[in-house]
Amino acid sequence: LSDKLGLCCLFKNNLPVFTMNYPRIQIPFEITLWVLLASFAKIGFHVYHKITIWVPESCLLISIGLIVGAIMHSVHEEPPAVLTSNVFFLYMLPLIVLESGYFMPTRPFFENIGTVFWFAVVGTLWNSIGIGISLFAICQIPAFGVQDINLQENLLFSAIISAVDPVAVLNVFEDVSVNEQLYIVVFGECLFNDAVTVVLYNMFSFVAEMPVVEPVDVFIGVARFFIVGLGGMAFGILFGFVAAFTTRFTSKVREIEPLFVFMYSYLAYLVAELFAISSIMAIITCALTMKYYVEENVSQRSCTTIRHVIKMLASISETLIFFFLGVVTITTDHEWNWGYILFTLLFAFVWRGLGILVLTQIINPFRTIPFNMKDQFGLAYGGLRGAVSFALAFTLPDTIGRKQLFVTATIAVILFTVFLQGISIRPLIEFINVRRTNRNLETINVEIHCRLMEHTMAGIEDLCGQWSRFYWKDKFMKFNNRILRKILIRDSRAESSIVALYKKLELQNAMEILDTASGDIKLLMIKKFLAADLRNIHDILSKNMYKIRERTVAYRGKHALPNDSQTREILIRRHATIRRSLRPRSCQSSNVPRTHKYFSLPAGKSLESRFDAARWHYTGKLRLSLKSLNTTLPFI
Amino acid sequence: LSDKLGLCCLFKNNLPVFTMNYPRIQIPFEITLWVLLASFAKIGFHVYHKITIWVPESCLLISIGLIVGAIMHSVHEEPPAVLTSNVFFLYMLPLIVLESGYFMPTRPFFENIGTVFWFAVVGTLWNSIGIGISLFAICQIPAFGVQDINLQENLLFSAIISAVDPVAVLNVFEDVSVNEQLYIVVFGECLFNDAVTVVLYNMFSFVAEMPVVEPVDVFIGVARFFIVGLGGMAFGILFGFVAAFTTRFTSKVREIEPLFVFMYSYLAYLVAELFAISSIMAIITCALTMKYYVEENVSQRSCTTIRHVIKMLASISETLIFFFLGVVTITTDHEWNWGYILFTLLFAFVWRGLGILVLTQIINPFRTIPFNMKDQFGLAYGGLRGAVSFALAFTLPDTIGRKQLFVTATIAVILFTVFLQGISIRPLIEFINVRRTNRNLETINVEIHCRLMEHTMAGIEDLCGQWSRFYWKDKFMKFNNRILRKILIRDSRAESSIVALYKKLELQNAMEILDTASGDIKLLMIKKFLAADLRNIHDILSKNMYKIRERTVAYRGKHALPNDSQTREILIRRHATIRRSLRPRSCQSSNVPRTHKYFSLPAGKSLESRFDAARWHYTGKLRLSLKSLNTTLPFI
């Protein structure tokens, strides 16, 4: 095409009146056209939105891609050079993952972090090894004619197809609106299994070319897993803090503020790619780290821009990925083997189901809300594979003889999961009546009560000397308020956060009036932003109530503990409790350290009385703060 | 550098624990780093903002670029491949021009459109031919040793350096804050001289390789100028309307709304580049066309995002351009010729001054506010050359023997104008006391009075039968309201625009409170947004008052003209007036067309009486609408 248009229409031998130079603008021109095409597709789906209720957008996009691919194939046009694995990994994937990280619902995620990592790490390992070995067993049957595929290659292939894909899964699960626990576990799993996949892929692709596997390689593989995962996290946190620190100084160049968010998170991703560690982990932790501080530093307009641009880029990148998936499915050369591909589909489905069954049995005793059978079904059936597997299949080294078969099998798994599971998941979940989202209940009142419970828990943990989630959160909040905020936030003295919240709601209100007035706005969009703002409110409230708690602890000190060494006292007490629990014999003896002179009550009695005092204190204070909230925010 | 890092640290022959693949991420990584570097520079200048008061940012950036270039040169590092002319024209320039077009102050621009095009077309031609012929004369002096440069090559070179550069000029003039007329003329000139430069460049570069120039080439050159200029405009308007039409349907995909603004304007630019017509014209007219409709269609958040992202991209692109200008100045091979370069500087300066002097003398009688001597100085001295010339010099065909000399001379002209003129323009303008900006006077009251005068003028033109600016504006507004708005805007019934204005101000207020509270905001930023909003208010007011006028015209019909054919009546009358003026003999005869039965007053008398009625009518109505404004907007 480019050659045909790259001509220069000369007007005889004179000055040209009309010239045309297509190759010069080809790259940006075609990218622009693809993006526009994807945007039109998105508009089209929402104009005829009855389709998207039952068929996920991803399926529609792949279908369109298949049609376009068929047309291109029939006119012998080259496929667009856009979905090479480099373009995918360097330009398209980071945009989607940045959005996932930036808009990650922080509280549910940290509440389920154990389960998330359990499924992401152990689940992915389980799938890879299970599928790989099963397929190797199938290869031994001569009837299928795939006896030349050895164990290493099978494992490499199974590593590619065992990772659940963030793009496909999020696309389906956002429509279905299952309950929060289920959503966040699937969401987290598909984001964080990247580290495992990267390691397994590198390990097996290295091993696939090796004649023998030494035991030291297994050890190195394990070491590498920690380097990949923790290294990605470390880079993310580092760049996140640097980004937050940089936005301290942008108050006079408001116009380029959003740039820093994009550049630093992208840099985190690229550096992680450079060192072949988990780039998805890096960009997620970077987004999580910087979000809180950056949004306090930048102006309201920059904040809106950052959120909108992240959403926009992710949305268009996702659309393009599915679209190209369809196109490339047609234009690639395939090697079809019924036996191998059908068994791949079967094993992928069975091992996922088995894995969920076994792993939930193990994790359930540790969970506050255990997964029931229906949740397990959701977890197993929601394990869609997608573009990440696809791109990884294309990066397979050419030394692997059956590369084309692996590519075909990967595409088959993707299409099978995205189409069959993606379309049927909504009716099935409605049929078996999986607990649905409870997000509609989220009001500020609910938030305040959750807060109350969390602070009560923190108080109880303080008193019992347990080191659990609340303890660490408490520790981090203190560190954050004393050190991090001072370093990273420009105006760290901060006005009363209740007033800030009020202002935010005012603005929200004004914007909504304006938007509603200026046309029929999509309710979903409002809801999305409302959910985001609720999360903000939650953060603000938490900060504020934390402060109140701290202040009153200091105040109470005048009665019971005359100076501000309360925290030190609690720490000492906590150590004492631990020591007591380590020496079960002496648990009732009063071995309170003598270094602390203010601790006058007998140790045996103190726990109950102190707990009682704490309960009185917290509820009283909460009543007060609720009252102040009611006067400030009359509409709660 | 890339080769050194592109190694793969293998752990003996085992699995690699640590790998590194720099070439894979090189391009995005280096772009990210350059952008970050530019952002840091911008932050730095604003932290030490005392420098930027006297030295324009462009000079500082070029200086930093020179230093970095010197360092790179000393370590024999290759210069970054970023400022090739393709990258500049395809990726960096459109961002800057889009911002100029999108935030163009519409009213002052259309008020001065004649002067702008006068300077852009005739001024640029004047400079090119003047400098070219003068340099050719210099080439005839054997002492300089440049006798091999023929007339065509001299003209080609002069076409490159005669165009005033938008990036450099805007950078300086935005700091200096001269009066609005002066600003808009320089602003418009440097944006619209692109068409002339493109034509001259193509013509002379074609002619430079031709032995003889036929007369037909001159004719083709003129034809090509119209194709380039008007073609660019046509593409811009076309894509602008398509963009506006597309955003009618985006109410359910709010997250990708801003994308259309960027993609369509970029597409306009690329298509113009493809056909070698004026891409700058295309993107400016596209931005001007779509802005009004798009901003009514999209949500408030999208609108903020569009504006912020356009500003952000333009700002960073501009910074990078100056920076790279400095770097490449050092890393390029130069050919230095004292005589040729000094005379180039002299002629560039002299012909610009002479041109302004002559052209203002010609245009002044047609202007309401003529340019005085001080304005002329501002116009002449503000003719900075910049990155466009630089990029054009690099695209010179290699068949030109003295290409290196031309590149060196271009760089000399750029550095001379940007540094000497750029730094000295502020003190000189302060010294000779050029009329400064009067933008501080802009309040809603002033706006209303301007509106009043415009409507009075339109009324007078209606009555006198003159076809001038106000007539055409009137015509366009009618066409716009009746047809364009219905096609392009989703909710074209539109609530009372006074209410919309009130809401906008409410939102503005809420945002400001929020921003001021959340830290020390830069006043300039507020001012910028205020100015933009004033322009919005102006548009809204104009629309509203226009509606009132229409409505009351219909109302008055009940007394003087019993039905709604008032407008037709005026049209017929206007034609009558023209016919009368064409036949000066019969101008007092009552040749009112008999087809119109409602027109009962004698033609001679009607003009004064009707004017009086119109005056009474307009002022009365204005008093009413002012009153309603005062009740709606108590803070005016």
Side-chain angles (χ1 to χ4, degrees), chain A residues 7 23 89 127-128 130 135 155 212 273 297 306 345 489 497 545:
Chain A
L7 41 83
F89 282 115
N127 277 330
S128 304
L135 281 176
L155 283 171
V212 285
E273 279 282 319
N297 278 334
I306 292 169
L345 291 180
I489 295 183
S497 19
M545 294 188 68

Side-chain angles (χ1 to χ4, degrees), chain A residues 524-537:
Chain A
L524 191 72
M525 196 63 197
I526 287 188
K527 260 191 216 151
K528 259 189 198 166
F529 271 105
L530 268 181
D533 279 308
L534 267 180
R535 248 168 284 135
N536 282 347
I537 290 163

Side-chain angles (χ1 to χ4, degrees), chain A residues 313-373:
Chain A
L313 295 177
S315 169
I316 211 66
S317 172
E318 190 188 292
T319 310
L320 280 175
I321 285 175
F322 284 116
F323 185 71
F324 285 125
L325 202 79
V327 173
V328 181
T329 298
I330 294 285
T331 52
T332 306
D333 297 323
H334 292 287
E335 182 192 338
W336 190 262
N337 182 311
W338 277 103
Y340 195 77
I341 287 167
L342 284 185
F343 273 103
T344 305
L345 291 180
L346 179 73
F347 289 140
F349 193 75
V350 167
W351 280 102
R352 170 87 191 167
L354 271 182
I356 294 293
L357 209 66
V358 173
L359 295 180
T360 44
Q361 292 309 322
I362 299 172
I363 197 87
N364 259 346
F366 299 99
R367 286 184 59 84
T368 319
I369 309 168
F371 291 115
N372 58 25
M373 285 293 283

